[in-house]
Short mmCIF file of all heavy atoms in Angstrom, two decimals:
data_model
loop_
_atom_site.label_atom_id
_atom_site.label_comp_id
_atom_site.label_asym_id
_atom_site.label_seq_id
_atom_site.Cartn_x
_atom_site.Cartn_y
_atom_site.Cartn_z
N VAL B 91 96.04 89.39 122.47
CA VAL B 91 95.79 88.42 123.58
C VAL B 91 96.38 88.81 124.91
O VAL B 91 95.79 88.76 125.96
CB VAL B 91 96.28 87.03 123.18
CG1 VAL B 91 96.34 86.10 124.39
CG2 VAL B 91 95.50 86.48 122.05
N GLU B 92 97.64 89.33 124.82
CA GLU B 92 98.34 89.79 126.04
C GLU B 92 97.65 90.94 126.67
O GLU B 92 97.48 90.99 127.91
CB GLU B 92 99.77 90.19 125.78
CG GLU B 92 100.72 88.89 125.57
CD GLU B 92 100.53 87.83 126.66
OE1 GLU B 92 100.39 88.16 127.84
OE2 GLU B 92 100.31 86.67 126.17
N TRP B 93 97.12 91.85 125.86
CA TRP B 93 96.40 93.04 126.38
C TRP B 93 95.09 92.51 127.06
O TRP B 93 94.65 92.96 128.06
CB TRP B 93 96.06 94.12 125.36
CG TRP B 93 97.35 95.01 125.23
CD1 TRP B 93 98.20 95.09 124.25
CD2 TRP B 93 97.75 95.95 126.26
NE1 TRP B 93 99.21 96.01 124.52
CE2 TRP B 93 98.90 96.63 125.68
CE3 TRP B 93 97.19 96.45 127.37
CZ2 TRP B 93 99.54 97.70 126.38
CZ3 TRP B 93 97.86 97.50 128.10
CH2 TRP B 93 99.03 98.04 127.57
N ALA B 94 94.37 91.55 126.34
CA ALA B 94 93.09 91.00 126.87
C ALA B 94 93.27 90.43 128.17
O ALA B 94 92.48 90.53 129.16
CB ALA B 94 92.51 90.10 125.82
N LYS B 95 94.47 89.69 128.36
CA LYS B 95 94.75 89.01 129.63
C LYS B 95 94.84 90.08 130.74
O LYS B 95 94.52 89.68 132.01
CB LYS B 95 96.03 88.21 129.53
CG LYS B 95 95.81 86.93 128.78
CD LYS B 95 96.91 86.06 128.83
CE LYS B 95 98.03 85.46 128.65
NZ LYS B 95 99.10 84.91 128.30
N ARG B 96 95.25 91.28 130.42
CA ARG B 96 95.40 92.29 131.48
C ARG B 96 94.11 92.94 131.85
O ARG B 96 94.07 93.76 132.86
CB ARG B 96 96.33 93.37 131.03
CG ARG B 96 97.77 92.78 130.77
CD ARG B 96 98.71 93.83 130.29
NE ARG B 96 100.03 93.22 130.08
CZ ARG B 96 101.14 93.91 130.18
NH1 ARG B 96 101.15 95.14 130.33
NH2 ARG B 96 102.31 93.21 129.97
N CYS B 97 93.02 92.70 131.15
CA CYS B 97 91.72 93.21 131.49
C CYS B 97 91.21 92.69 132.79
O CYS B 97 91.40 91.57 133.04
CB CYS B 97 90.73 92.92 130.35
SG CYS B 97 89.11 93.60 130.58
N PRO B 98 90.64 93.60 133.65
CA PRO B 98 90.00 93.01 134.87
C PRO B 98 88.82 92.16 134.39
O PRO B 98 88.30 92.47 133.35
CB PRO B 98 89.55 94.26 135.64
CG PRO B 98 89.59 95.40 134.60
CD PRO B 98 90.62 95.03 133.60
N ASN B 99 88.46 91.20 135.17
CA ASN B 99 87.29 90.34 134.82
C ASN B 99 86.10 91.38 134.75
O ASN B 99 85.73 91.91 135.65
CB ASN B 99 87.09 89.25 135.88
CG ASN B 99 85.88 88.40 135.53
OD1 ASN B 99 85.15 88.70 134.61
ND2 ASN B 99 85.66 87.33 136.29
N PRO B 100 85.56 91.40 133.52
CA PRO B 100 84.47 92.35 133.29
C PRO B 100 83.17 92.10 133.99
O PRO B 100 82.23 92.87 134.02
CB PRO B 100 84.29 92.44 131.77
CG PRO B 100 84.86 91.15 131.36
CD PRO B 100 85.89 90.70 132.31
N MET B 101 83.03 90.89 134.53
CA MET B 101 81.77 90.45 135.08
C MET B 101 82.00 89.99 136.53
O MET B 101 83.09 89.57 136.83
CB MET B 101 81.13 89.32 134.22
CG MET B 101 80.93 89.66 132.81
SD MET B 101 79.50 90.77 132.67
CE MET B 101 79.67 91.12 130.85
N PRO B 102 80.90 89.94 137.38
CA PRO B 102 81.07 89.44 138.73
C PRO B 102 81.40 87.96 138.70
O PRO B 102 82.24 87.47 139.50
CB PRO B 102 79.70 89.65 139.36
CG PRO B 102 78.98 90.56 138.43
CD PRO B 102 79.52 90.50 137.09
N GLY B 103 80.84 87.18 137.74
CA GLY B 103 81.13 85.71 137.74
C GLY B 103 82.18 85.45 136.58
O GLY B 103 82.84 86.37 136.11
N PRO B 104 82.26 84.06 136.22
CA PRO B 104 83.13 83.78 135.08
C PRO B 104 82.68 84.50 133.84
O PRO B 104 81.48 84.60 133.59
CB PRO B 104 83.01 82.25 135.01
CG PRO B 104 82.38 81.85 136.19
CD PRO B 104 81.52 83.06 136.77
N SER B 105 83.66 84.91 132.99
CA SER B 105 83.22 85.59 131.78
C SER B 105 84.35 85.37 130.64
O SER B 105 85.34 84.71 130.95
CB SER B 105 83.05 87.08 132.06
OG SER B 105 84.23 87.68 132.31
N GLU B 106 84.03 85.90 129.51
CA GLU B 106 84.91 85.61 128.36
C GLU B 106 85.10 86.85 127.56
O GLU B 106 84.12 87.57 127.26
CB GLU B 106 84.30 84.55 127.59
CG GLU B 106 85.20 83.60 126.87
CD GLU B 106 84.47 82.44 126.25
OE1 GLU B 106 83.65 82.61 125.32
OE2 GLU B 106 84.58 81.33 126.82
N LEU B 107 86.32 87.03 127.02
CA LEU B 107 86.49 88.09 125.87
C LEU B 107 86.77 87.32 124.63
O LEU B 107 87.51 86.24 124.65
CB LEU B 107 87.70 88.94 126.26
CG LEU B 107 87.68 89.92 127.34
CD1 LEU B 107 88.98 90.75 127.44
CD2 LEU B 107 86.43 90.80 127.30
N GLU B 108 86.25 87.78 123.62
CA GLU B 108 86.53 87.13 122.24
C GLU B 108 87.22 88.11 121.36
O GLU B 108 86.80 89.35 121.21
CB GLU B 108 85.24 86.64 121.61
CG GLU B 108 85.38 85.97 120.29
CD GLU B 108 84.04 85.42 119.84
OE1 GLU B 108 83.28 84.87 120.59
OE2 GLU B 108 83.90 85.52 118.58
N ILE B 109 88.31 87.76 120.80
CA ILE B 109 89.05 88.72 119.87
C ILE B 109 88.96 88.27 118.43
O ILE B 109 89.28 87.13 118.11
CB ILE B 109 90.60 88.71 120.32
CG1 ILE B 109 90.72 88.90 121.74
CG2 ILE B 109 91.34 89.76 119.48
CD1 ILE B 109 92.12 88.56 122.29
N ARG B 110 88.54 89.27 117.62
CA ARG B 110 88.33 88.89 116.19
C ARG B 110 89.02 89.94 115.34
O ARG B 110 88.76 91.10 115.47
CB ARG B 110 86.85 88.79 115.85
CG ARG B 110 86.13 87.79 116.72
CD ARG B 110 86.14 86.42 116.04
NE ARG B 110 85.47 86.51 114.79
CZ ARG B 110 84.18 86.27 114.63
NH1 ARG B 110 83.38 86.02 115.67
NH2 ARG B 110 83.64 86.31 113.47
#
Side-chain angles (χ1 to χ4, degrees):
Chain B
V91 168
E92 283 316 311
W93 276 106
K95 283 191 273 319
R96 295 179 180 206
C97 181
N99 182 351
M101 301 288 172
S105 68
E106 212 171 69
L107 294 184
E108 181 174 322
I109 310 167
R110 302 271 298 271

